Amino acid sequence: MHVKNLNVHTACVFTGEIKDSALTTYKENFKNSHIHGDITKIDPKEIPKFDYLLAGFPRQPFSAAGNRKGFLDERGRLFFTIVKILKEKSPHGFLLENVEGLVNHDGGKTLDTILKTLKKLATTCHGLF
């Protein structure tokens, strides 16, 4: 298989992570990176400008692997931290990780809240969607 080189250069400008196993893997694969820790404790203004946000949040608040408290669980509110960052930085785009159990959580109300929040954000962040 031939892969065409598009001469697109990428760089990670900021990483926030607190999970030990993820930190270990990240440090092993990206030796020259600095990990800033808990993203909920960082002012979005302190994050450098970026073009695309790649983010995820823990599944435990939404799946059978946890207590299914959704946004009532501190970890479940990480989505709203992501929204604050998107509002502050208004990147070209973003990609959010699919979280197991999210689609059906609280009868679909959680996903509905997420989608409505992102649609509202689209009206305030020109070019985000």
Side-chain angles (χ1 to χ4, degrees):
M1 173 187 211
H2 177 72
V3 177
K4 183 178 178 181
N5 184 346
L6 300 176
N7 291 318
V8 175
H9 302 282
T10 62
C12 177
V13 298
F14 191 91
T15 300
E17 180 60 67
I18 61 172
K19 187 176 177 184
D20 288 337
S21 60
L23 288 167
T24 300
T25 301
Y26 196 89
K27 288 175 184 175
E28 181 63 30
N29 288 290
F30 303 99
K31 296 184 186 331
N32 296 324
S33 295
H34 177 71
I35 301 169
H36 298 273
D38 188 346
I39 194 70
T40 65
K41 309 260 189 277
I42 297 167
D43 183 343
K45 288 179 173 77
E46 296 177 22
I47 299 172
K49 183 180 179 340
F50 58 88
D51 294 326
Y52 292 93
L53 175 90
L54 307 177
F57 38 94
R59 66 186 170 122
Q60 292 88 342
F62 309 102
S63 75
N67 54 27
R68 300 188 56 86
K69 289 185 179 180
F71 296 136
L72 298 176
D73 183 316
E74 182 179 337
R75 298 168 296 179
R77 290 191 300 271
L78 183 58
F79 167 72
F80 297 105
T81 298
I82 293 167
V83 169
K84 287 179 188 178
I85 295 168
L86 290 171
K87 279 182 183 179
E88 175 64 32
K89 297 302 180 183
S90 195
H92 296 295
F94 65 92
L95 177 67
L96 301 181
E97 176 186 12
N98 180 23
V99 178
E100 181 183 338
L102 186 62
V103 172
N104 297 320
H105 183 265
D106 196 17
K109 292 178 187 172
T110 301
L111 182 59
D112 188 52
T113 297
I114 289 171
L115 294 175
K116 283 180 180 177
T117 301
L118 293 173
K119 285 178 184 175
K120 183 178 177 184
L121 183 63
T123 64
T124 60
C125 294
H126 177 69
L128 187 56
F129 292 86

